[in-house]
Amino acid sequence: MQKKNSWQLIRIGALSLGVAGIYGCPQALDAGVSHSAKSEAITIVQSQSGGVADTGTDTGITNFSSQPVAYEICGESPGWQRTSFSEQTTALLNNPRYGAALEEEPLRGLSDKFWNGSVITFTTYGLSARTEPIFLSGVWTSIDAMDACYEGDRPEAINQGVLAEVWLIGNEIDEIAWTGSEYEVTVRSASEGLQFVQFERLETNETLPIRVVSEAGTELPVVSGDW
């Protein structure tokens, strides 16, 4: 992935300390974790000013139609499964960050939202902003698998609108295409597994225009992690 020396290095180590209180210290991401063959093709689209490339249109959408979108599986846990709901609840009740507040809003609604989500998207990055999706979705039990997703310039690329991110729970990425108005993500259903996928953005919309479909053509609900 292209590096910009002016971008600040941001790591997820601070968040890992919070996880250690529940599940112990996470291990470093295994350097042998497999990546998509398409990961080598990922390209950051930027203008000289550092933002997303100017499209010459009022909508901010790149003037292309039905084109492949470069993506990378920056982390994954092939055999991962969510813990049981009772184990999840017990762990969060014992976490000083949550405790009895899980029975109150906004945490109650957020917990239902993320726990039932199998596709979670992000267009912003921040350690505190990522904490609720990580813990409330159950992904905290495999937090070490996402470490490489926030190395180097990746967090800044997300915040500048260059990259977007999607978490796939019980699904595997097949391909991503830009239709001219939205990203169409095709996935293969799986009985287990967790994937963290980052892909280049070809638009500058405030809300990510995305549609996720299974190999059978069934549309899957998409939950935004940018709460």
Side-chain angles (χ1 to χ4, degrees), residues 117-215:
S118 61
V119 180
I120 304 175
T121 65
F122 296 87
T123 57
T124 60
Y125 177 83
L127 289 176
S128 60
R130 290 293 173 102
T131 301
E132 267 56 78
I134 287 172
F135 279 99
L136 300 181
S137 69
V139 166
W140 61 272
T141 61
S142 189
I143 192 173
D144 57 310
M146 67 170 68
D147 190 43
C149 298
Y150 310 122
E151 292 181 343
D153 59 359
R154 293 172 188 259
E156 191 66 18
I158 293 172
N159 285 333
Q160 289 191 357
V162 176
L163 293 179
E165 183 171 307
V166 59
W167 298 356
L168 298 176
I169 300 174
N171 291 283
E172 299 176 351
I173 190 73
D174 185 30
E175 63 180 1
I176 304 177
W178 172 250
T179 68
S181 60
E182 64 181 1
Y183 303 98
E184 185 168 290
V185 181
T186 305
V187 299
R188 302 181 299 274
S189 60
S191 59
E192 58 187 21
L194 173 66
Q195 286 187 337
F196 304 102
V197 180
Q198 292 179 344
F199 62 92
E200 64 174 323
R201 295 185 65 177
L202 303 179
E203 40 64 54
T204 57
N205 294 346
E206 184 174 347
T207 301
L208 189 71
I210 188 169
R211 177 173 179 264
V212 179
V213 296
S214 69
E215 68 272 32

